[in-house]
PDB file of all heavy atoms in Angstrom:
ATOM      1  N   PHE A  20      43.126 -33.927  64.346  1.00 91.00           N
ATOM      2  CA  PHE A  20      41.810 -34.398  63.977  1.00 91.00           C
ATOM      3  C   PHE A  20      41.857 -35.128  62.643  1.00 91.00           C
ATOM      4  O   PHE A  20      41.293 -36.209  62.496  1.00 91.00           O
ATOM      5  CB  PHE A  20      40.814 -33.237  63.914  1.00 91.00           C
ATOM      6  CG  PHE A  20      39.441 -33.647  63.474  1.00 91.00           C
ATOM      7  CD1 PHE A  20      38.598 -34.335  64.325  1.00 91.00           C
ATOM      8  CD2 PHE A  20      38.990 -33.352  62.196  1.00 91.00           C
ATOM      9  CE1 PHE A  20      37.328 -34.722  63.929  1.00 91.00           C
ATOM     10  CE2 PHE A  20      37.717 -33.724  61.785  1.00 91.00           C
ATOM     11  CZ  PHE A  20      36.886 -34.416  62.653  1.00 91.00           C
ATOM     12  N   SER A  21      42.532 -34.531  61.685  1.00 93.00           N
ATOM     13  CA  SER A  21      42.675 -35.153  60.381  1.00 93.00           C
ATOM     14  C   SER A  21      43.831 -34.490  59.646  1.00 93.00           C
ATOM     15  O   SER A  21      44.239 -33.380  59.970  1.00 93.00           O
ATOM     16  CB  SER A  21      41.392 -35.045  59.555  1.00 93.00           C
ATOM     17  OG  SER A  21      41.081 -33.692  59.271  1.00 93.00           O
ATOM     18  N   ILE A  22      44.329 -35.180  58.639  1.00 95.00           N
ATOM     19  CA  ILE A  22      45.387 -34.659  57.793  1.00 95.00           C
ATOM     20  C   ILE A  22      44.919 -34.699  56.348  1.00 95.00           C
ATOM     21  O   ILE A  22      44.459 -35.737  55.873  1.00 95.00           O
ATOM     22  CB  ILE A  22      46.691 -35.461  57.939  1.00 95.00           C
ATOM     23  CG1 ILE A  22      47.181 -35.423  59.388  1.00 95.00           C
ATOM     24  CG2 ILE A  22      47.758 -34.918  56.995  1.00 95.00           C
ATOM     25  CD1 ILE A  22      48.421 -36.255  59.634  1.00 95.00           C
ATOM     26  N   ASN A  23      45.038 -33.574  55.677  1.00 96.00           N
ATOM     27  CA  ASN A  23      44.651 -33.515  54.277  1.00 96.00           C
ATOM     28  C   ASN A  23      45.864 -33.860  53.404  1.00 96.00           C
ATOM     29  O   ASN A  23      46.354 -34.979  53.463  1.00 96.00           O
ATOM     30  CB  ASN A  23      44.077 -32.138  53.949  1.00 96.00           C
ATOM     31  CG  ASN A  23      42.815 -31.846  54.748  1.00 96.00           C
ATOM     32  OD1 ASN A  23      42.103 -32.755  55.175  1.00 96.00           O
ATOM     33  ND2 ASN A  23      42.529 -30.573  54.964  1.00 96.00           N
ATOM     34  N   ASP A  24      46.352 -32.906  52.627  1.00 97.00           N
ATOM     35  CA  ASP A  24      47.505 -33.178  51.785  1.00 97.00           C
ATOM     36  C   ASP A  24      48.770 -33.336  52.625  1.00 97.00           C
ATOM     37  O   ASP A  24      48.950 -32.674  53.645  1.00 97.00           O
ATOM     38  CB  ASP A  24      47.719 -32.053  50.774  1.00 97.00           C
ATOM     39  CG  ASP A  24      46.606 -31.956  49.759  1.00 97.00           C
ATOM     40  OD1 ASP A  24      45.695 -32.803  49.771  1.00 97.00           O
ATOM     41  OD2 ASP A  24      46.652 -31.024  48.927  1.00 97.00           O
ATOM     42  N   MET A  25      49.659 -34.201  52.171  1.00 97.00           N
ATOM     43  CA  MET A  25      50.990 -34.336  52.740  1.00 97.00           C
ATOM     44  C   MET A  25      51.982 -34.302  51.588  1.00 97.00           C
ATOM     45  O   MET A  25      51.695 -34.804  50.504  1.00 97.00           O
ATOM     46  CB  MET A  25      51.143 -35.633  53.529  1.00 97.00           C
ATOM     47  CG  MET A  25      50.160 -35.796  54.673  1.00 97.00           C
ATOM     48  SD  MET A  25      50.477 -37.265  55.690  1.00 97.00           S
ATOM     49  CE  MET A  25      51.816 -36.656  56.735  1.00 97.00           C
ATOM     50  N   GLY A  26      53.131 -33.714  51.838  1.00 98.00           N
ATOM     51  CA  GLY A  26      54.090 -33.604  50.756  1.00 98.00           C
ATOM     52  C   GLY A  26      55.519 -33.524  51.229  1.00 98.00           C
ATOM     53  O   GLY A  26      55.799 -33.371  52.421  1.00 98.00           O
ATOM     54  N   TRP A  27      56.411 -33.647  50.261  1.00 98.00           N
ATOM     55  CA  TRP A  27      57.838 -33.521  50.489  1.00 98.00           C
ATOM     56  C   TRP A  27      58.388 -32.383  49.643  1.00 98.00           C
ATOM     57  O   TRP A  27      58.044 -32.258  48.462  1.00 98.00           O
ATOM     58  CB  TRP A  27      58.577 -34.814  50.133  1.00 98.00           C
ATOM     59  CG  TRP A  27      58.310 -35.937  51.084  1.00 98.00           C
ATOM     60  CD1 TRP A  27      57.381 -36.917  50.965  1.00 98.00           C
ATOM     61  CD2 TRP A  27      59.003 -36.193  52.305  1.00 98.00           C
ATOM     62  NE1 TRP A  27      57.439 -37.779  52.030  1.00 98.00           N
ATOM     63  CE2 TRP A  27      58.423 -37.359  52.870  1.00 98.00           C
ATOM     64  CE3 TRP A  27      60.045 -35.564  52.973  1.00 98.00           C
ATOM     65  CZ2 TRP A  27      58.870 -37.897  54.076  1.00 98.00           C
ATOM     66  CZ3 TRP A  27      60.481 -36.095  54.171  1.00 98.00           C
ATOM     67  CH2 TRP A  27      59.902 -37.252  54.710  1.00 98.00           C
ATOM     68  N   TYR A  28      59.225 -31.584  50.249  1.00 98.00           N
ATOM     69  CA  TYR A  28      59.912 -30.493  49.590  1.00 98.00           C
ATOM     70  C   TYR A  28      61.405 -30.660  49.820  1.00 98.00           C
ATOM     71  O   TYR A  28      61.829 -31.359  50.739  1.00 98.00           O
ATOM     72  CB  TYR A  28      59.448 -29.137  50.136  1.00 98.00           C
ATOM     73  CG  TYR A  28      58.007 -28.808  49.835  1.00 98.00           C
ATOM     74  CD1 TYR A  28      56.962 -29.481  50.463  1.00 98.00           C
ATOM     75  CD2 TYR A  28      57.679 -27.808  48.915  1.00 98.00           C
ATOM     76  CE1 TYR A  28      55.638 -29.189  50.187  1.00 98.00           C
ATOM     77  CE2 TYR A  28      56.358 -27.500  48.639  1.00 98.00           C
ATOM     78  CZ  TYR A  28      55.349 -28.195  49.278  1.00 98.00           C
ATOM     79  OH  TYR A  28      54.038 -27.883  48.998  1.00 98.00           O
ATOM     80  N   ARG A  29      62.198 -30.007  48.993  1.00 98.00           N
ATOM     81  CA  ARG A  29      63.634 -30.062  49.205  1.00 98.00           C
ATOM     82  C   ARG A  29      64.263 -28.718  48.904  1.00 98.00           C
ATOM     83  O   ARG A  29      63.743 -27.937  48.106  1.00 98.00           O
ATOM     84  CB  ARG A  29      64.283 -31.160  48.360  1.00 98.00           C
ATOM     85  CG  ARG A  29      64.226 -30.942  46.853  1.00 98.00           C
ATOM     86  CD  ARG A  29      64.767 -32.164  46.131  1.00 98.00           C
ATOM     87  NE  ARG A  29      64.783 -31.997  44.685  1.00 98.00           N
ATOM     88  CZ  ARG A  29      65.091 -32.957  43.830  1.00 98.00           C
ATOM     89  NH1 ARG A  29      65.417 -34.171  44.280  1.00 98.00           N
ATOM     90  NH2 ARG A  29      65.083 -32.723  42.526  1.00 98.00           N
ATOM     91  N   GLN A  30      65.386 -28.479  49.555  1.00 98.00           N
ATOM     92  CA  GLN A  30      66.094 -27.224  49.394  1.00 98.00           C
ATOM     93  C   GLN A  30      67.593 -27.476  49.431  1.00 98.00           C
ATOM     94  O   GLN A  30      68.123 -27.986  50.418  1.00 98.00           O
ATOM     95  CB  GLN A  30      65.701 -26.233  50.489  1.00 98.00           C
ATOM     96  CG  GLN A  30      66.290 -24.852  50.317  1.00 98.00           C
ATOM     97  CD  GLN A  30      65.682 -23.852  51.278  1.00 98.00           C
ATOM     98  OE1 GLN A  30      65.168 -24.221  52.330  1.00 98.00           O
ATOM     99  NE2 GLN A  30      65.717 -22.577  50.910  1.00 98.00           N
ATOM    100  N   ALA A  31      68.256 -27.129  48.346  1.00 97.00           N
ATOM    101  CA  ALA A  31      69.698 -27.200  48.267  1.00 97.00           C
ATOM    102  C   ALA A  31      70.278 -25.844  48.658  1.00 97.00           C
ATOM    103  O   ALA A  31      69.599 -24.819  48.570  1.00 97.00           O
ATOM    104  CB  ALA A  31      70.142 -27.587  46.863  1.00 97.00           C
ATOM    105  N   PRO A  32      71.537 -25.799  49.088  1.00 93.00           N
ATOM    106  CA  PRO A  32      72.149 -24.533  49.485  1.00 93.00           C
ATOM    107  C   PRO A  32      72.059 -23.483  48.384  1.00 93.00           C
ATOM    108  O   PRO A  32      72.381 -23.756  47.231  1.00 93.00           O
ATOM    109  CB  PRO A  32      73.600 -24.908  49.772  1.00 93.00           C
ATOM    110  CG  PRO A  32      73.537 -26.343  50.167  1.00 93.00           C
ATOM    111  CD  PRO A  32      72.456 -26.932  49.296  1.00 93.00           C
ATOM    112  N   GLY A  33      71.603 -22.300  48.749  1.00 94.00           N
ATOM    113  CA  GLY A  33      71.504 -21.214  47.805  1.00 94.00           C
ATOM    114  C   GLY A  33      70.325 -21.279  46.862  1.00 94.00           C
ATOM    115  O   GLY A  33      70.208 -20.434  45.968  1.00 94.00           O
ATOM    116  N   LYS A  34      69.453 -22.267  47.037  1.00 96.00           N
ATOM    117  CA  LYS A  34      68.311 -22.423  46.158  1.00 96.00           C
ATOM    118  C   LYS A  34      67.012 -22.356  46.946  1.00 96.00           C
ATOM    119  O   LYS A  34      66.994 -22.487  48.168  1.00 96.00           O
ATOM    120  CB  LYS A  34      68.395 -23.746  45.393  1.00 96.00           C
ATOM    121  CG  LYS A  34      69.593 -23.846  44.454  1.00 96.00           C
ATOM    122  CD  LYS A  34      69.552 -25.120  43.649  1.00 96.00           C
ATOM    123  CE  LYS A  34      70.708 -25.202  42.676  1.00 96.00           C
ATOM    124  NZ  LYS A  34      70.664 -26.454  41.869  1.00 96.00           N
ATOM    125  N   GLN A  35      65.928 -22.157  46.228  1.00 97.00           N
ATOM    126  CA  GLN A  35      64.622 -22.085  46.853  1.00 97.00           C
ATOM    127  C   GLN A  35      64.131 -23.476  47.235  1.00 97.00           C
ATOM    128  O   GLN A  35      64.619 -24.490  46.729  1.00 97.00           O
ATOM    129  CB  GLN A  35      63.617 -21.420  45.914  1.00 97.00           C
ATOM    130  CG  GLN A  35      63.337 -22.191  44.645  1.00 97.00           C
ATOM    131  CD  GLN A  35      62.372 -21.474  43.722  1.00 97.00           C
ATOM    132  OE1 GLN A  35      62.026 -20.315  43.931  1.00 97.00           O
ATOM    133  NE2 GLN A  35      61.922 -22.160  42.684  1.00 97.00           N
ATOM    134  N   ARG A  36      63.153 -23.495  48.124  1.00 97.00           N
ATOM    135  CA  ARG A  36      62.537 -24.750  48.516  1.00 97.00           C
ATOM    136  C   ARG A  36      61.463 -25.121  47.489  1.00 97.00           C
ATOM    137  O   ARG A  36      60.536 -24.351  47.246  1.00 97.00           O
ATOM    138  CB  ARG A  36      61.927 -24.629  49.912  1.00 97.00           C
ATOM    139  CG  ARG A  36      61.394 -25.929  50.474  1.00 97.00           C
ATOM    140  CD  ARG A  36      60.909 -25.763  51.916  1.00 97.00           C
ATOM    141  NE  ARG A  36      61.982 -25.341  52.807  1.00 97.00           N
ATOM    142  CZ  ARG A  36      61.851 -25.216  54.124  1.00 97.00           C
ATOM    143  NH1 ARG A  36      60.683 -25.493  54.695  1.00 97.00           N
ATOM    144  NH2 ARG A  36      62.874 -24.813  54.864  1.00 97.00           N
ATOM    145  N   ASP A  37      61.598 -26.291  46.908  1.00 98.00           N
ATOM    146  CA  ASP A  37      60.713 -26.719  45.834  1.00 98.00           C
ATOM    147  C   ASP A  37      59.940 -27.969  46.214  1.00 98.00           C
ATOM    148  O   ASP A  37      60.414 -28.820  46.972  1.00 98.00           O
ATOM    149  CB  ASP A  37      61.501 -27.002  44.555  1.00 98.00           C
ATOM    150  CG  ASP A  37      62.107 -25.759  43.937  1.00 98.00           C
ATOM    151  OD1 ASP A  37      61.484 -24.685  44.020  1.00 98.00           O
ATOM    152  OD2 ASP A  37      63.206 -25.860  43.359  1.00 98.00           O
ATOM    153  N   LEU A  38      58.760 -28.077  45.640  1.00 98.00           N
ATOM    154  CA  LEU A  38      57.941 -29.267  45.826  1.00 98.00           C
ATOM    155  C   LEU A  38      58.582 -30.466  45.141  1.00 98.00           C
ATOM    156  O   LEU A  38      59.004 -30.381  43.987  1.00 98.00           O
ATOM    157  CB  LEU A  38      56.541 -29.035  45.262  1.00 98.00           C
ATOM    158  CG  LEU A  38      55.603 -30.243  45.248  1.00 98.00           C
ATOM    159  CD1 LEU A  38      55.193 -30.604  46.671  1.00 98.00           C
ATOM    160  CD2 LEU A  38      54.371 -29.968  44.398  1.00 98.00           C
ATOM    161  N   VAL A  39      58.629 -31.576  45.841  1.00 98.00           N
ATOM    162  CA  VAL A  39      59.099 -32.833  45.284  1.00 98.00           C
ATOM    163  C   VAL A  39      57.916 -33.724  44.928  1.00 98.00           C
ATOM    164  O   VAL A  39      57.818 -34.240  43.809  1.00 98.00           O
ATOM    165  CB  VAL A  39      60.036 -33.570  46.258  1.00 98.00           C
ATOM    166  CG1 VAL A  39      60.443 -34.933  45.696  1.00 98.00           C
ATOM    167  CG2 VAL A  39      61.270 -32.724  46.548  1.00 98.00           C
ATOM    168  N   ALA A  40      57.023 -33.921  45.877  1.00 98.00           N
ATOM    169  CA  ALA A  40      55.861 -34.778  45.667  1.00 98.00           C
ATOM    170  C   ALA A  40      54.799 -34.438  46.685  1.00 98.00           C
ATOM    171  O   ALA A  40      55.103 -33.990  47.794  1.00 98.00           O
ATOM    172  CB  ALA A  40      56.240 -36.259  45.773  1.00 98.00           C
ATOM    173  N   VAL A  41      53.561 -34.659  46.320  1.00 98.00           N
ATOM    174  CA  VAL A  41      52.447 -34.424  47.223  1.00 98.00           C
ATOM    175  C   VAL A  41      51.436 -35.548  47.062  1.00 98.00           C
ATOM    176  O   VAL A  41      51.300 -36.121  45.974  1.00 98.00           O
ATOM    177  CB  VAL A  41      51.791 -33.044  46.954  1.00 98.00           C
ATOM    178  CG1 VAL A  41      51.194 -32.992  45.559  1.00 98.00           C
ATOM    179  CG2 VAL A  41      50.741 -32.727  48.006  1.00 98.00           C
ATOM    180  N   ILE A  42      50.739 -35.863  48.135  1.00 98.00           N
ATOM    181  CA  ILE A  42      49.704 -36.886  48.102  1.00 98.00           C
ATOM    182  C   ILE A  42      48.510 -36.389  48.896  1.00 98.00           C
ATOM    183  O   ILE A  42      48.647 -35.865  50.000  1.00 98.00           O
ATOM    184  CB  ILE A  42      50.226 -38.242  48.635  1.00 98.00           C
ATOM    185  CG1 ILE A  42      49.160 -39.326  48.502  1.00 98.00           C
ATOM    186  CG2 ILE A  42      50.726 -38.119  50.071  1.00 98.00           C
ATOM    187  CD1 ILE A  42      49.704 -40.735  48.735  1.00 98.00           C
ATOM    188  N   THR A  43      47.327 -36.528  48.326  1.00 97.00           N
ATOM    189  CA  THR A  43      46.112 -36.092  48.994  1.00 97.00           C
ATOM    190  C   THR A  43      45.630 -37.156  49.960  1.00 97.00           C
ATOM    191  O   THR A  43      46.136 -38.279  49.998  1.00 97.00           O
ATOM    192  CB  THR A  43      45.002 -35.783  47.980  1.00 97.00           C
ATOM    193  OG1 THR A  43      44.556 -37.010  47.375  1.00 97.00           O
ATOM    194  CG2 THR A  43      45.493 -34.837  46.893  1.00 97.00           C
ATOM    195  N   SER A  44      44.632 -36.796  50.745  1.00 94.00           N
ATOM    196  CA  SER A  44      44.060 -37.758  51.677  1.00 94.00           C
ATOM    197  C   SER A  44      43.433 -38.940  50.958  1.00 94.00           C
ATOM    198  O   SER A  44      43.327 -40.029  51.531  1.00 94.00           O
ATOM    199  CB  SER A  44      43.012 -37.081  52.566  1.00 94.00           C
ATOM    200  OG  SER A  44      41.959 -36.535  51.786  1.00 94.00           O
ATOM    201  N   GLY A  45      43.039 -38.736  49.704  1.00 94.00           N
ATOM    202  CA  GLY A  45      42.468 -39.799  48.907  1.00 94.00           C
ATOM    203  C   GLY A  45      43.474 -40.607  48.119  1.00 94.00           C
ATOM    204  O   GLY A  45      43.092 -41.550  47.420  1.00 94.00           O
ATOM    205  N   GLY A  46      44.749 -40.235  48.210  1.00 96.00           N
ATOM    206  CA  GLY A  46      45.794 -40.996  47.553  1.00 96.00           C
ATOM    207  C   GLY A  46      46.227 -40.486  46.196  1.00 96.00           C
ATOM    208  O   GLY A  46      47.058 -41.127  45.536  1.00 96.00           O
ATOM    209  N   LYS A  47      45.702 -39.354  45.756  1.00 98.00           N
ATOM    210  CA  LYS A  47      46.129 -38.792  44.486  1.00 98.00           C
ATOM    211  C   LYS A  47      47.502 -38.151  44.651  1.00 98.00           C
ATOM    212  O   LYS A  47      47.750 -37.430  45.616  1.00 98.00           O
ATOM    213  CB  LYS A  47      45.116 -37.770  43.991  1.00 98.00           C
ATOM    214  CG  LYS A  47      45.422 -37.188  42.618  1.00 98.00           C
ATOM    215  CD  LYS A  47      44.333 -36.230  42.161  1.00 98.00           C
ATOM    216  CE  LYS A  47      43.006 -36.942  41.975  1.00 98.00           C
ATOM    217  NZ  LYS A  47      41.953 -36.029  41.441  1.00 98.00           N
ATOM    218  N   THR A  48      48.390 -38.398  43.700  1.00 98.00           N
ATOM    219  CA  THR A  48      49.769 -37.937  43.813  1.00 98.00           C
ATOM    220  C   THR A  48      50.154 -36.992  42.696  1.00 98.00           C
ATOM    221  O   THR A  48      49.567 -36.999  41.613  1.00 98.00           O
ATOM    222  CB  THR A  48      50.746 -39.124  43.815  1.00 98.00           C
ATOM    223  OG1 THR A  48      50.606 -39.856  42.587  1.00 98.00           O
ATOM    224  CG2 THR A  48      50.466 -40.054  44.981  1.00 98.00           C
ATOM    225  N   ASN A  49      51.168 -36.195  42.967  1.00 98.00           N
ATOM    226  CA  ASN A  49      51.749 -35.305  41.986  1.00 98.00           C
ATOM    227  C   ASN A  49      53.236 -35.199  42.272  1.00 98.00           C
ATOM    228  O   ASN A  49      53.649 -35.171  43.435  1.00 98.00           O
ATOM    229  CB  ASN A  49      51.098 -33.926  42.034  1.00 98.00           C
ATOM    230  CG  ASN A  49      51.524 -33.043  40.883  1.00 98.00           C
ATOM    231  OD1 ASN A  49      51.620 -33.495  39.747  1.00 98.00           O
ATOM    232  ND2 ASN A  49      51.765 -31.769  41.166  1.00 98.00           N
ATOM    233  N   TYR A  50      54.043 -35.144  41.202  1.00 98.00           N
ATOM    234  CA  TYR A  50      55.488 -35.140  41.350  1.00 98.00           C
ATOM    235  C   TYR A  50      56.120 -34.026  40.538  1.00 98.00           C
ATOM    236  O   TYR A  50      55.613 -33.644  39.479  1.00 98.00           O
ATOM    237  CB  TYR A  50      56.095 -36.462  40.878  1.00 98.00           C
ATOM    238  CG  TYR A  50      55.650 -37.676  41.648  1.00 98.00           C
ATOM    239  CD1 TYR A  50      54.522 -38.395  41.269  1.00 98.00           C
ATOM    240  CD2 TYR A  50      56.368 -38.113  42.753  1.00 98.00           C
ATOM    241  CE1 TYR A  50      54.115 -39.513  41.972  1.00 98.00           C
ATOM    242  CE2 TYR A  50      55.971 -39.230  43.462  1.00 98.00           C
ATOM    243  CZ  TYR A  50      54.846 -39.924  43.067  1.00 98.00           C
ATOM    244  OH  TYR A  50      54.453 -41.042  43.776  1.00 98.00           O
ATOM    245  N   ALA A  51      57.239 -33.539  41.028  1.00 98.00           N
ATOM    246  CA  ALA A  51      58.054 -32.656  40.225  1.00 98.00           C
ATOM    247  C   ALA A  51      58.595 -33.430  39.030  1.00 98.00           C
ATOM    248  O   ALA A  51      58.873 -34.627  39.119  1.00 98.00           O
ATOM    249  CB  ALA A  51      59.208 -32.095  41.051  1.00 98.00           C
ATOM    250  N   ASP A  52      58.741 -32.745  37.905  1.00 98.00           N
ATOM    251  CA  ASP A  52      59.221 -33.413  36.703  1.00 98.00           C
ATOM    252  C   ASP A  52      60.579 -34.084  36.918  1.00 98.00           C
ATOM    253  O   ASP A  52      60.855 -35.138  36.337  1.00 98.00           O
ATOM    254  CB  ASP A  52      59.320 -32.419  35.547  1.00 98.00           C
ATOM    255  CG  ASP A  52      57.965 -31.982  35.032  1.00 98.00           C
ATOM    256  OD1 ASP A  52      56.974 -32.689  35.275  1.00 98.00           O
ATOM    257  OD2 ASP A  52      57.905 -30.924  34.375  1.00 98.00           O
ATOM    258  N   SER A  53      61.407 -33.494  37.745  1.00 98.00           N
ATOM    259  CA  SER A  53      62.753 -33.996  37.948  1.00 98.00           C
ATOM    260  C   SER A  53      62.809 -35.340  38.673  1.00 98.00           C
ATOM    261  O   SER A  53      63.843 -36.007  38.639  1.00 98.00           O
ATOM    262  CB  SER A  53      63.592 -32.970  38.714  1.00 98.00           C
ATOM    263  OG  SER A  53      63.010 -32.684  39.974  1.00 98.00           O
ATOM    264  N   VAL A  54      61.715 -35.735  39.326  1.00 98.00           N
ATOM    265  CA  VAL A  54      61.730 -36.984  40.085  1.00 98.00           C
ATOM    266  C   VAL A  54      60.725 -38.005  39.576  1.00 98.00           C
ATOM    267  O   VAL A  54      60.683 -39.124  40.097  1.00 98.00           O
ATOM    268  CB  VAL A  54      61.484 -36.738  41.588  1.00 98.00           C
ATOM    269  CG1 VAL A  54      62.475 -35.717  42.126  1.00 98.00           C
ATOM    270  CG2 VAL A  54      60.052 -36.289  41.841  1.00 98.00           C
TER     271      VAL A  54
END
């Protein structure tokens, strides 16, 4: 029906899954400091 936030996460071997970037339905973005 609709999609709200969409994002990318990443996980390296032996590490937790972390947020990379997210974008709202309105186009507002947020990024991990590392990227």
